Amino acid sequence: MGWFSRKKEKKASEVNVKAEALNIDELRENAEKLKVGLQNSEGNERVNILNEIGDIYYKISDYDEAAKYYEESLSLHKAIGKAYTNLLNIYNAKRKEAAVNKDDDQIQYYLVKIDEMMKISKDVVRGNV
């Protein structure tokens, strides 16, 4: 009986992989549509769209693209929220990756980025934004 359940589990995981691939394609399409709307946006609307695009790339593990949009968002509106948290997580993961690769320049680069994030946090808490 154990053999039959393994086959079902294997088939279910194959279906999940295919569904994830379709979902990633859909998410990328959504990001492209949002980028079009980004061209004519400004103020809070622009910040929200940048965050949405960053969230999409974060969900599909394209962290370099996510960081690009989160950074622009935070440059326009410094706030502690999902964009801030996700960007900090990206920087920490990149720093750890650099440490594993023993890349001192990249380690230093991401430490500086993390320090910049801490400054944003302090500014927001102190009301200096």
Side-chain angles (χ1 to χ4, degrees):
M1 256 184 134
W3 292 329
F4 297 113
S5 63
R6 287 185 185 149
K7 275 188 175 179
K8 288 179 185 176
E9 286 176 17
K10 186 175 181 180
K11 286 183 182 179
S13 68
E14 288 172 3
V15 170
N16 286 339
V17 168
K18 289 179 184 175
E20 285 178 24
L22 289 175
N23 192 28
I24 289 172
D25 290 340
E26 287 177 21
L27 288 170
R28 285 190 188 279
E29 285 178 29
N30 288 343
E32 293 304 317
K33 289 176 186 174
L34 287 168
K35 287 178 188 178
V36 171
L38 189 61
Q39 295 170 359
N40 298 320
S41 65
E42 54 187 48
N44 285 338
E45 180 186 8
R46 183 171 184 81
V47 170
N48 291 335
I49 293 172
L50 288 166
N51 286 338
E52 284 183 57
I53 296 170
D55 289 344
I56 289 171
Y57 284 117
Y58 191 82
K59 285 178 188 174
I60 61 175
S61 302
D62 189 344
Y63 299 123
D64 292 330
E65 280 296 303
K68 182 173 84 172
Y69 288 97
Y70 286 146
E71 286 170 349
E72 186 177 345
S73 166
L74 288 172
S75 74
L76 296 174
H77 178 71
K78 293 179 182 173
I80 299 174
K82 189 175 184 180
Y84 175 89
T85 303
N86 288 350
L87 189 55
L88 194 57
N89 288 337
I90 291 168
Y91 289 159
N92 275 317
K94 293 285 191 177
R95 180 192 51 80
K96 288 176 187 176
E97 183 180 311
V100 167
N101 294 331
K102 297 181 175 151
D103 186 343
D104 292 336
D105 292 336
Q106 286 293 302
I107 293 170
Q108 189 59 38
Y109 175 79
Y110 286 108
L111 285 174
V112 168
K113 289 290 200 179
I114 292 167
D115 284 344
E116 290 172 2
M117 298 298 289
M118 292 296 124
K119 184 179 181 327
I120 289 172
S121 173
K122 289 177 184 175
D123 288 347
V124 169
V125 169
R126 292 178 182 155
N128 297 335
V129 256

